[in-house]
Amino acid sequence: IGATPIITEKTRQFVHHFIVMAVPSCNTQLGGGENAFKREQIYGWAPGEHGMILPDNVGFPMFDSEFNQAILIEIHYNNPKRISGMEDSSGVRFHYTSTKRQYDAAILQVGDPMLGLRGVAINDGLTQHEFTCGGTCSSLFLDEPVTVLSEKLHMHKTGTRMVNEVVRGGEIVHTAKVEIFDFDQQGAFQPQQDSYQLQAGDKFRTTCYYKD
C-alpha cells in the first residue's frame, strides 16, 4: 500500500535509479523473451522520488499467486570515474496490510520499456523519438475501464522533454508532459493531474526529445 526509498548517503551519487518487481521465485532471471512476462514492476525510484502511498482502497497484490512469491530489486549505478571500494545498501521499505483492498494496483509501461533503442546513437542537436502502442494492444489487457492514478515520465541524462498521449477514436483525450526534463532533479517526473480512465482500444503515443 506504500513504499519508502532508502538511499545510502555515502553512495547516493552512484545510485542512478532502481526498479522493484514481484517475481515467481528468488531464482527468477531477468532479461527479455519469456522472462519479460515473469515479472511485474511494483515500484521504481529515481532522483526526486520520495516514496509512494496508494489510496485507502487500492493495493499491489503480493504473495497471493505463483507469479509473485518473491521481490526482486534491480539497482542501476552510474560510476563514470570508476571509483572503487564503495559498498551500497540502498533499497526500499514496503508498507503493507494483510487485509485485501477493494482494487488491485498495477504499473503499465509504455514507450520503450524493453530498451529497443539501446545502442542507437543520438544525433547532434535535438533528436525526437516517437513510440506507439496501438488500440489492439490495450484491447488485449483491458476488458473494462481502468483508472490511472498517476503517471511518471522517465528518461536519462540526454532527455530534455517528454509527452505521453492517450488517443481514442482519433482524438487525443489525455496528455501528460514535462517541458523541461532534468534527470538529476526529478528522474521520474510526475505531472500534477487528476486521475482518469483508460478504455479498451485506447492508443498510446509517447514522444521523447533528446539533446546531445
Side-chain angles (χ1 to χ4, degrees):
I1 61 174
T4 302
I6 303 171
I7 311 299
T8 304
E9 284 301 323
K10 186 177 180 180
T11 51
R12 177 181 289 271
Q13 62 177 310
F14 305 110
V15 182
H16 189 267
H17 70 282
F18 64 72
I19 53 178
V20 185
M21 293 161 283
V23 294
S25 75
C26 294
N27 296 321
T28 300
Q29 300 295 313
L30 294 181
E34 291 184 3
N35 289 328
F37 299 97
K38 294 182 179 179
R39 63 181 187 261
E40 181 174 350
Q41 184 174 340
I42 56 176
Y43 182 66
W45 178 89
E49 162 71 22
H50 299 293
M52 171 190 72
I53 183 168
L54 294 172
D56 292 341
N57 58 348
V58 179
F60 281 99
M62 298 175 71
F63 313 120
D64 67 340
S65 78
E66 61 179 304
F67 301 107
N68 61 5
Q69 290 298 301
I71 300 299
L72 186 151
I73 181 169
E74 178 182 292
I75 302 180
H76 295 213
Y77 295 100
N78 186 29
N79 186 6
K81 295 182 179 179
R82 299 181 181 273
I83 298 174
S84 62
M86 305 303 294
E87 294 184 3
D88 179 58
S89 299
S90 296
V92 59
R93 177 182 294 114
F94 278 113
H95 308 273
Y96 69 94
T97 176
S98 57
T99 303
K100 181 176 175 57
R101 292 195 160 180
Q102 182 179 3
Y103 298 108
D104 289 343
I107 293 176
L108 172 65
Q109 298 179 355
V110 296
D112 188 21
M114 295 294 111
L115 304 181
L117 287 182
R118 182 193 296 272
V120 175
I122 296 178
N123 297 328
D124 292 337
L126 191 63
T127 300
Q128 172 184 330
H129 289 287
E130 183 177 293
F131 310 90
T132 59
C133 177
T136 54
C137 178
S138 63
S139 295
L140 287 175
F141 62 82
L142 288 182
D143 53 12
E144 62 181 345
V146 297
T147 300
V148 177
L149 299 175
S150 63
E151 292 178 71
K152 293 187 178 181
L153 307 181
H154 175 67
M155 296 183 292
H156 287 188
K157 287 287 187 179
T158 55
T160 59
R161 182 176 183 265
M162 186 173 179
V163 180
N164 188 50
E165 298 169 312
V166 179
V167 182
R168 181 179 303 150
E171 299 289 333
I172 298 173
V173 296
H174 175 80
T175 300
K177 60 183 177 180
V178 51
E179 294 289 359
I180 302 175
F181 181 85
D182 184 338
F183 181 88
D184 292 327
Q185 292 295 319
Q186 197 165 13
F189 182 86
Q190 183 170 334
Q192 299 300 304
Q193 61 186 29
D194 295 330
S195 60
Y196 67 95
Q197 286 201 325
L198 290 179
Q199 300 179 10
D202 284 352
K203 172 183 176 181
F204 303 93
R205 183 168 59 215
T206 307
T207 308
C208 302
Y209 300 83
Y210 305 91
K211 188 174 183 180
D212 197 3

